[in-house]
Amino acid sequence: MARYKPVDLHLSKPLPVKFSEQILPGTFEYAVNWLVDHEIDLTVFDARYCNDESGALAYHPGVLLKVVLLGYARGITSSRGIARACRENVVFMALSGDSAPHFTTIAGFVSKLPGEITSVFRDVLLVCDEQGLIGKELFAVDGCKLPSNASRTWSGTRADLARKAEKMERAIAHMLDTHRRQDAGQNVDALTQREQQQIETLSRNSRKIREWLSVSPEKTNRRGEPLKSNITDNDSATMKTSHGMVQGYTGVAAVDAKSQVVVQASAYGTGQENALLPHVLKDLRQDFKAIGRKDPLKAATVLTDSGYHSEATLQQLSDAKIDALVADTGFRSRDPRFADAYKHKPEDRQRQPGERRSQWFQPKDFAFDAAAKTCRCPAGKVLKLSSANAIIKGRRSMSFEGSQTICGSCPLRSQCIRKPGVSTYRQVMFFDGTKAKDSHPQTTAMKARIDSREGRLTYSRRLGIVEPVFGNLHTHGLRRFTLRTRRKVDAQWKLFALVHNVQKLTGKAP
């Protein structure tokens, strides 16, 4: 019979550990340790401490910055997780000098970073530039939507939140009324205890909503229409992602093409990116100016996807003399290389020539008489002429619309209106093929430029420049923000970008 050496897991063995030997050259922790000790100006943190003559000694900000960056690099974003690693992981012990900061100290340090993290980000950016990692010839800008420490349950317009509070108050009144009418002997004590807990929870939530409504103004868009607010973090926004709806922020990154270094990182509480590009490029210029470098946009080209496209944005770029290629939503459809793209779709998704694009009625299903300026819907009803000379994206059209009377009880309503529960009547437009005066000259010029051979060749590099950055952060588990308010989330997004840039300095980032 085979014999084996005994294994006793209850044995203990004291091991001598020299912390300086645990930080090995070429690793992320070595780069962080060297940067913090030699390249980052830590005096920006001194103003937050007032213990020159009295008070307890503070943890060195360099130590806290090191363990936070190492924690983020290993996917540990909670202060409790980083504090536990400082007690149990030898690399964290080495970086912190075995000081084992409490999780409240780490949490307080991260939440108060907004004023100093920009300086730290710029110091690392300067090192990247000195190492020749920034080419300053081609930049790609894109963003990713990440959830934050805010619940979507507490989102809504002021009217939505008021209705929610009223619903809670009605539920409280109903439970109290039901309780008063209970017969004796039906386990009243246990039922009362459960109801009392529910009433306290509903009362607390209703009071929270009412107090917030009393002091918070309505959020509106540029047209004055109400937007959803959030009680827990009103800077955040409800955004649509590939994983569903989330309550969070859009983290925008400007990435240099040479080595994929993030040269600017900012977080915004909006899911709409079409107005963000000028702000990102303005901050990019300020960052390079702060590190003593020339304006990088004078001789560089900026690439963005269609999410940043708008006539106003293109006009601002033109006024600022910034060379940019900003795709529009029809960019792919005009590309001859994608002319037969439908052939590569799964069989169940192919649309054959002549097949309907949609299950709903299209303009061709309506009886339109251009000379008489009349239109009959598929149900035979005459629609009202709302505009005989409507301009839609530079094209002339004749617009017709139904009414609540016509469309409200129509048997074909479900086939005609995409959202019967939202839209009250159908609108339909007929284009005559003519174009009005170009009301979007910048968009027209951008389309011509990006459709050129040189434009398509340059723009095709965008995906390979910026998307690997988000993939790298995702691989490290940096998939959500743990803070609230835009200032704090913006600082955390810069810390995420710092993790990527430090990896670039070590030569081990993808």
Side-chain angles (χ1 to χ4, degrees):
M1 181 178 292
R3 297 185 303 160
Y4 303 100
K5 294 183 178 181
V7 177
D8 189 351
L9 299 181
H10 298 286
L11 292 175
S12 60
K13 183 177 183 180
L15 297 174
V17 177
K18 188 176 182 180
F19 288 142
S20 61
E21 295 179 355
Q22 307 306 313
I23 306 176
L24 303 178
T27 61
F28 180 87
E29 52 269 21
Y30 184 90
V32 166
N33 187 61
W34 186 87
L35 286 170
V36 173
D37 289 345
H38 299 90
E39 296 294 339
I40 295 178
D41 181 15
L42 298 176
T43 59
V44 296
F45 295 95
D46 293 345
R48 68 165 62 186
Y49 302 104
C50 301
N51 60 349
D52 294 355
E53 298 180 356
S54 61
L57 297 178
Y59 285 94
H60 197 282
V63 169
L64 299 176
L65 183 60
K66 290 176 185 178
V67 297
V68 167
L69 287 174
L70 180 58
Y72 284 7
R74 298 195 174 186
I76 307 173
T77 56
S78 72
S79 56
R80 292 178 184 270
I82 295 174
R84 182 170 58 251
C86 289
R87 298 191 305 268
E88 301 174 355
N89 188 291
V90 67
V91 177
F92 281 86
M93 292 180 185
L95 279 184
S96 64
D98 202 23
S99 56
H102 195 259
F103 78 90
T104 56
T105 302
I106 297 174
F109 177 78
V110 173
S111 64
K112 296 177 182 178
L113 271 179
E116 297 85 5
I117 188 59
T118 300
S119 175
V120 174
F121 180 86
R122 288 170 175 172
D123 289 340
V124 176
L125 184 64
L126 177 60
V127 176
C128 292
D129 190 35
E130 292 174 342
Q131 295 298 315
L133 300 180
I134 303 178
K136 305 175 189 176
E137 295 180 354
L138 189 64
F139 298 106
V141 178
D142 204 352
C144 62
K145 299 176 176 64
L146 301 179
S148 65
N149 187 17
S151 173
R152 194 160 64 90
T153 304
W154 295 102
S155 292
T157 63
R158 287 181 62 86
D160 294 336
L161 295 173
R163 285 193 294 268
K164 181 177 289 189
E166 292 172 359
K167 185 177 180 180
M168 293 178 183
E169 292 162 358
R170 287 197 302 270
I172 294 172
H174 176 73
M175 284 189 289
L176 292 175
D177 183 64
T178 302
H179 178 64
R180 281 194 296 267
R181 292 185 286 105
Q182 286 176 345
D183 294 333
Q186 293 186 359
N187 197 15
V188 175
D189 292 339
L191 185 61
T192 301
Q193 184 178 1
R194 291 197 302 270
E195 283 190 342
Q196 187 63 33
Q197 185 176 3
Q198 290 178 347
I199 290 173
E200 290 177 357
T201 301
L202 290 173
S203 298
R204 183 170 58 253
N205 293 340
S206 175
R207 186 168 56 253
K208 179 180 179 180
I209 294 175
R210 295 295 185 188
E211 292 175 353
W212 186 88
L213 290 174
S214 65
V215 297
S216 302
E218 181 86 86
K219 290 175 66 175
T220 59
N221 59 17
R222 59 186 179 183
R223 295 186 296 272
E225 300 170 342
L227 296 175
K228 287 186 177 182
S229 302
N230 187 272
I231 293 179
T232 53
D233 182 7
N234 202 24
D235 290 344
S236 63
T238 303
M239 302 181 294
K240 183 179 181 180
T241 69
S242 58
H243 301 288
M245 301 296 292
V246 301
Q247 187 71 32
Y249 292 81
T250 299
V252 181
V255 183
D256 183 81
K258 183 175 182 180
S259 301
Q260 294 176 314
V261 170
V262 179
V263 293
Q264 213 292 313
S266 297
Y268 299 90
T270 176
Q272 300 295 326
E273 301 171 332
N274 54 9
L276 299 182
L277 186 57
H279 301 285
V280 174
L281 299 182
K282 178 182 177 182
D283 293 339
L284 172 61
R285 280 174 159 166
Q286 291 178 348
D287 288 344
F288 274 85
K289 182 178 179 181
I291 63 176
R293 295 295 189 263
K294 296 180 180 179
D295 183 0
L297 299 179
K298 282 189 175 181
T301 301
V302 179
L303 309 176
T304 70
D305 63 12
S306 59
Y308 296 86
H309 183 277
S310 72
E311 180 68 16
T313 294
L314 296 182
Q315 186 62 55
Q316 293 181 55
L317 294 176
S318 177
D319 296 341
K321 298 181 179 180
I322 296 176
D323 183 32
L325 287 175
V326 184
D328 59 278
T329 54
F331 164 69
R332 295 293 183 192
S333 62
R334 298 192 307 272
D335 192 336
R337 295 174 296 180
F338 293 88
D340 59 348
Y342 73 93
K343 295 181 180 179
H344 305 285
K345 293 182 179 180
E347 290 293 332
D348 58 344
R349 295 183 59 189
Q350 287 190 17
R351 182 173 60 87
Q352 302 301 325
E355 183 182 351
R356 294 176 63 96
R357 283 180 173 269
S358 171
Q359 60 179 325
W360 294 283
F361 291 126
Q362 303 298 308
K364 66 180 182 180
D365 299 316
F366 290 72
F368 170 61
D369 188 336
K373 298 182 179 180
T374 60
C375 174
R376 286 183 179 272
C377 70
K381 302 294 184 180
V382 178
L383 303 186
K384 174 186 175 182
L385 175 65
S386 60
S387 177
N389 189 28
I391 306 299
I392 308 296
K393 294 185 177 180
R395 296 187 298 163
R396 296 185 184 277
S397 69
M398 198 173 295
S399 177
F400 295 85
E401 63 182 28
S403 65
Q404 178 63 39
T405 303
I406 295 176
C407 302
S409 58
C410 180
L412 302 179
R413 178 179 174 84
S414 60
Q415 297 175 254
C416 193
I417 301 178
R418 294 195 177 191
K419 298 181 179 180
V422 178
S423 303
T424 57
Y425 55 84
R426 174 64 187 264
Q427 292 178 309
V428 62
M429 288 165 288
F430 300 91
F431 295 92
D432 61 8
T434 63
K435 292 186 178 182
K437 182 180 178 181
D438 191 359
S439 58
H440 298 81
Q442 296 296 336
T443 298
T444 302
M446 183 60 68
K447 286 181 178 179
R449 184 182 172 199
I450 206 169
D451 287 345
S452 66
R453 183 177 181 278
E454 181 182 358
R456 293 191 183 279
L457 184 63
T458 303
Y459 185 80
S460 64
R461 299 181 58 188
R462 184 198 67 84
L463 197 66
I465 296 172
V466 67
E467 293 299 339
V469 175
F470 300 134
N472 186 34
L473 297 180
H474 185 83
T475 301
H476 283 79
L478 304 178
R479 304 169 186 174
R480 65 178 299 115
F481 298 115
T482 60
L483 303 175
R484 295 176 182 174
T485 74
R486 182 180 174 255
R487 291 182 67 251
K488 295 179 181 180
V489 170
D490 183 74
Q492 192 169 44
W493 179 241
K494 285 181 169 62
L495 286 173
F496 289 178
L498 276 174
V499 170
H500 176 81
N501 286 350
V502 172
Q503 283 190 309
K504 283 297 178 180
L505 287 170
T506 64
K508 294 185 178 181

Tab-separated table of all heavy atoms in Angstrom, residues 141-171:
chain	number	residue	atom	x	y	z
A	141	VAL	N	-12.358	59.336	-28.693
A	141	VAL	CA	-13.173	59.657	-27.519
A	141	VAL	C	-14.400	58.759	-27.525
A	141	VAL	O	-15.088	58.619	-28.532
A	141	VAL	CB	-13.608	61.136	-27.538
A	141	VAL	CG1	-14.500	61.446	-26.326
A	141	VAL	CG2	-12.386	62.047	-27.546
A	142	ASP	N	-14.653	58.151	-26.388
A	142	ASP	CA	-15.851	57.318	-26.246
A	142	ASP	C	-16.182	57.218	-24.759
A	142	ASP	O	-15.391	57.649	-23.903
A	142	ASP	CB	-15.631	55.927	-26.842
A	142	ASP	CG	-16.934	55.271	-27.251
A	142	ASP	OD1	-18.004	55.831	-26.934
A	142	ASP	OD2	-16.902	54.198	-27.879
A	143	GLY	N	-17.328	56.650	-24.460
A	143	GLY	CA	-17.754	56.539	-23.068
A	143	GLY	C	-18.431	55.212	-22.811
A	143	GLY	O	-18.883	54.520	-23.733
A	144	CYS	N	-18.507	54.849	-21.545
A	144	CYS	CA	-19.238	53.646	-21.146
A	144	CYS	C	-20.148	54.009	-19.980
A	144	CYS	O	-19.792	54.813	-19.112
A	144	CYS	CB	-18.290	52.508	-20.769
A	144	CYS	SG	-17.223	52.847	-19.352
A	145	LYS	N	-21.331	53.441	-19.970
A	145	LYS	CA	-22.330	53.730	-18.944
A	145	LYS	C	-22.213	52.699	-17.832
A	145	LYS	O	-22.368	51.497	-18.073
A	145	LYS	CB	-23.727	53.728	-19.559
A	145	LYS	CG	-23.918	54.788	-20.644
A	145	LYS	CD	-25.284	54.675	-21.286
A	145	LYS	CE	-25.512	55.780	-22.304
A	145	LYS	NZ	-24.581	55.703	-23.444
A	146	LEU	N	-21.939	53.167	-16.637
A	146	LEU	CA	-21.749	52.279	-15.492
A	146	LEU	C	-22.745	52.625	-14.390
A	146	LEU	O	-23.020	53.806	-14.142
A	146	LEU	CB	-20.324	52.391	-14.946
A	146	LEU	CG	-19.176	52.056	-15.896
A	146	LEU	CD1	-17.845	52.251	-15.207
A	146	LEU	CD2	-19.305	50.630	-16.400
A	147	PRO	N	-23.300	51.615	-13.707
A	147	PRO	CA	-24.190	51.897	-12.574
A	147	PRO	C	-23.412	52.495	-11.411
A	147	PRO	O	-22.197	52.289	-11.284
A	147	PRO	CB	-24.758	50.519	-12.228
A	147	PRO	CG	-23.733	49.548	-12.736
A	147	PRO	CD	-23.131	50.183	-13.966
A	148	SER	N	-24.112	53.234	-10.577
A	148	SER	CA	-23.478	53.874	-9.424
A	148	SER	C	-24.202	53.476	-8.148
A	148	SER	O	-25.119	52.638	-8.165
A	148	SER	CB	-23.485	55.398	-9.586
A	148	SER	OG	-24.818	55.881	-9.573
A	149	ASN	N	-23.819	54.089	-7.057
A	149	ASN	CA	-24.398	53.776	-5.753
A	149	ASN	C	-25.708	54.541	-5.570
A	149	ASN	O	-25.859	55.368	-4.673
A	149	ASN	CB	-23.401	54.139	-4.647
A	149	ASN	CG	-23.875	53.670	-3.289
A	149	ASN	OD1	-24.755	52.836	-3.187
A	149	ASN	ND2	-23.297	54.219	-2.237
A	150	ALA	N	-26.641	54.299	-6.466
A	150	ALA	CA	-27.953	54.947	-6.420
A	150	ALA	C	-28.993	53.984	-6.966
A	150	ALA	O	-28.734	53.286	-7.945
A	150	ALA	CB	-27.961	56.246	-7.224
A	151	SER	N	-30.146	53.934	-6.326
A	151	SER	CA	-31.196	53.004	-6.717
A	151	SER	C	-32.115	53.639	-7.753
A	151	SER	O	-32.568	54.777	-7.588
A	151	SER	CB	-32.012	52.576	-5.497
A	151	SER	OG	-33.123	51.792	-5.889
A	152	ARG	N	-32.408	52.879	-8.815
A	152	ARG	CA	-33.334	53.371	-9.835
A	152	ARG	C	-34.762	53.426	-9.304
A	152	ARG	O	-35.629	54.092	-9.893
A	152	ARG	CB	-33.255	52.470	-11.074
A	152	ARG	CG	-33.896	53.060	-12.305
A	152	ARG	CD	-33.382	52.385	-13.556
A	152	ARG	NE	-33.720	50.987	-13.624
A	152	ARG	CZ	-34.835	50.489	-14.173
A	152	ARG	NH1	-35.709	51.322	-14.703
A	152	ARG	NH2	-35.047	49.206	-14.213
A	153	THR	N	-35.014	52.738	-8.186
A	153	THR	CA	-36.348	52.772	-7.584
A	153	THR	C	-36.731	54.178	-7.160
A	153	THR	O	-37.913	54.545	-7.168
A	153	THR	CB	-36.391	51.831	-6.367
A	153	THR	OG1	-35.996	50.516	-6.772
A	153	THR	CG2	-37.783	51.782	-5.762
A	154	TRP	N	-35.729	54.984	-6.797
A	154	TRP	CA	-35.982	56.330	-6.309
A	154	TRP	C	-35.854	57.369	-7.418
A	154	TRP	O	-35.578	58.531	-7.146
A	154	TRP	CB	-35.016	56.665	-5.167
A	154	TRP	CG	-35.238	55.808	-3.956
A	154	TRP	CD1	-34.502	54.744	-3.573
A	154	TRP	CD2	-36.286	55.946	-2.997
A	154	TRP	NE1	-35.006	54.202	-2.424
A	154	TRP	CE2	-36.108	54.925	-2.038
A	154	TRP	CE3	-37.354	56.842	-2.848
A	154	TRP	CZ2	-36.964	54.767	-0.969
A	154	TRP	CZ3	-38.199	56.675	-1.765
A	154	TRP	CH2	-38.010	55.653	-0.840
A	155	SER	N	-36.046	56.948	-8.662
A	155	SER	CA	-35.958	57.866	-9.788
A	155	SER	C	-37.343	58.203	-10.316
A	155	SER	O	-38.277	57.399	-10.210
A	155	SER	CB	-35.120	57.259	-10.920
A	155	SER	OG	-33.772	57.143	-10.548
A	156	GLY	N	-37.462	59.383	-10.902
A	156	GLY	CA	-38.715	59.799	-11.511
A	156	GLY	C	-38.797	61.309	-11.597
A	156	GLY	O	-38.010	62.024	-10.971
A	157	THR	N	-39.750	61.792	-12.375
A	157	THR	CA	-40.006	63.226	-12.387
A	157	THR	C	-40.677	63.616	-11.074
A	157	THR	O	-41.081	62.757	-10.281
A	157	THR	CB	-40.904	63.601	-13.566
A	157	THR	OG1	-42.181	62.947	-13.400
A	157	THR	CG2	-40.289	63.160	-14.888
A	158	ARG	N	-40.816	64.910	-10.846
A	158	ARG	CA	-41.481	65.344	-9.619
A	158	ARG	C	-42.903	64.793	-9.544
A	158	ARG	O	-43.368	64.401	-8.477
A	158	ARG	CB	-41.490	66.876	-9.547
A	158	ARG	CG	-40.139	67.502	-9.240
A	158	ARG	CD	-40.258	69.020	-9.162
A	158	ARG	NE	-41.146	69.427	-8.080
A	158	ARG	CZ	-40.778	69.602	-6.823
A	158	ARG	NH1	-39.511	69.396	-6.474
A	158	ARG	NH2	-41.638	69.982	-5.914
A	159	ALA	N	-43.567	64.736	-10.691
A	159	ALA	CA	-44.930	64.196	-10.710
A	159	ALA	C	-44.931	62.702	-10.376
A	159	ALA	O	-45.793	62.223	-9.625
A	159	ALA	CB	-45.569	64.439	-12.075
A	160	ASP	N	-43.956	61.967	-10.922
A	160	ASP	CA	-43.864	60.534	-10.631
A	160	ASP	C	-43.616	60.286	-9.147
A	160	ASP	O	-44.242	59.406	-8.536
A	160	ASP	CB	-42.730	59.904	-11.446
A	160	ASP	CG	-43.007	59.937	-12.938
A	160	ASP	OD1	-44.184	60.005	-13.317
A	160	ASP	OD2	-42.032	59.915	-13.711
A	161	LEU	N	-42.692	61.052	-8.569
A	161	LEU	CA	-42.364	60.869	-7.161
A	161	LEU	C	-43.527	61.263	-6.265
A	161	LEU	O	-43.775	60.626	-5.233
A	161	LEU	CB	-41.113	61.684	-6.814
A	161	LEU	CG	-39.826	61.236	-7.521
A	161	LEU	CD1	-38.697	62.223	-7.243
A	161	LEU	CD2	-39.425	59.838	-7.084
A	162	ALA	N	-44.255	62.307	-6.653
A	162	ALA	CA	-45.429	62.709	-5.859
A	162	ALA	C	-46.484	61.607	-5.892
A	162	ALA	O	-47.113	61.306	-4.855
A	162	ALA	CB	-45.990	64.020	-6.389
A	163	ARG	N	-46.697	61.003	-7.056
A	163	ARG	CA	-47.657	59.896	-7.142
A	163	ARG	C	-47.208	58.697	-6.318
A	163	ARG	O	-48.028	58.001	-5.705
A	163	ARG	CB	-47.848	59.488	-8.608
A	163	ARG	CG	-48.708	60.462	-9.416
A	163	ARG	CD	-49.119	59.846	-10.740
A	163	ARG	NE	-47.973	59.636	-11.601
A	163	ARG	CZ	-47.538	60.506	-12.493
A	163	ARG	NH1	-48.157	61.676	-12.622
A	163	ARG	NH2	-46.494	60.247	-13.258
A	164	LYS	N	-45.900	58.458	-6.291
A	164	LYS	CA	-45.385	57.350	-5.491
A	164	LYS	C	-45.640	57.594	-4.007
A	164	LYS	O	-46.035	56.668	-3.269
A	164	LYS	CB	-43.890	57.164	-5.757
A	164	LYS	CG	-43.271	56.011	-4.986
A	164	LYS	CD	-41.805	55.829	-5.331
A	164	LYS	CE	-41.644	55.291	-6.727
A	164	LYS	NZ	-40.241	54.893	-7.013
A	165	ALA	N	-45.418	58.826	-3.544
A	165	ALA	CA	-45.680	59.154	-2.143
A	165	ALA	C	-47.168	59.011	-1.815
A	165	ALA	O	-47.533	58.488	-0.760
A	165	ALA	CB	-45.196	60.574	-1.845
A	166	GLU	N	-48.019	59.466	-2.734
A	166	GLU	CA	-49.462	59.339	-2.514
A	166	GLU	C	-49.881	57.870	-2.446
A	166	GLU	O	-50.751	57.494	-1.641
A	166	GLU	CB	-50.226	60.050	-3.631
A	166	GLU	CG	-50.066	61.567	-3.615
A	166	GLU	CD	-50.674	62.211	-4.845
A	166	GLU	OE1	-51.204	61.456	-5.702
A	166	GLU	OE2	-50.611	63.452	-4.964
A	167	LYS	N	-49.283	57.044	-3.273
A	167	LYS	CA	-49.601	55.620	-3.257
A	167	LYS	C	-49.208	54.995	-1.924
A	167	LYS	O	-49.949	54.163	-1.367
A	167	LYS	CB	-48.877	54.922	-4.408
A	167	LYS	CG	-49.226	53.456	-4.558
A	167	LYS	CD	-48.525	52.858	-5.776
A	167	LYS	CE	-48.869	51.386	-5.915
A	167	LYS	NZ	-48.187	50.776	-7.110
A	168	MET	N	-48.054	55.379	-1.399
A	168	MET	CA	-47.632	54.872	-0.099
A	168	MET	C	-48.587	55.317	1.002
A	168	MET	O	-48.952	54.532	1.897
A	168	MET	CB	-46.209	55.355	0.213
A	168	MET	CG	-45.138	54.784	-0.688
A	168	MET	SD	-43.496	55.449	-0.291
A	168	MET	CE	-42.507	54.662	-1.546
A	169	GLU	N	-48.999	56.571	0.953
A	169	GLU	CA	-49.905	57.089	1.972
A	169	GLU	C	-51.266	56.415	1.901
A	169	GLU	O	-51.892	56.160	2.931
A	169	GLU	CB	-50.024	58.602	1.805
A	169	GLU	CG	-48.728	59.340	2.137
A	169	GLU	CD	-48.684	60.746	1.572
A	169	GLU	OE1	-49.663	61.135	0.891
A	169	GLU	OE2	-47.673	61.450	1.792
A	170	ARG	N	-51.735	56.096	0.691
A	170	ARG	CA	-52.997	55.364	0.566
A	170	ARG	C	-52.869	53.956	1.124
A	170	ARG	O	-53.807	53.433	1.749
A	170	ARG	CB	-53.428	55.308	-0.903
A	170	ARG	CG	-53.944	56.627	-1.461
A	170	ARG	CD	-54.734	56.384	-2.746
A	170	ARG	NE	-53.928	55.722	-3.759
A	170	ARG	CZ	-53.199	56.350	-4.668
A	170	ARG	NH1	-53.155	57.687	-4.677
A	170	ARG	NH2	-52.497	55.681	-5.562
A	171	ALA	N	-51.716	53.319	0.906
A	171	ALA	CA	-51.498	51.980	1.447
A	171	ALA	C	-51.496	52.003	2.972
A	171	ALA	O	-52.048	51.100	3.623
A	171	ALA	CB	-50.180	51.414	0.922
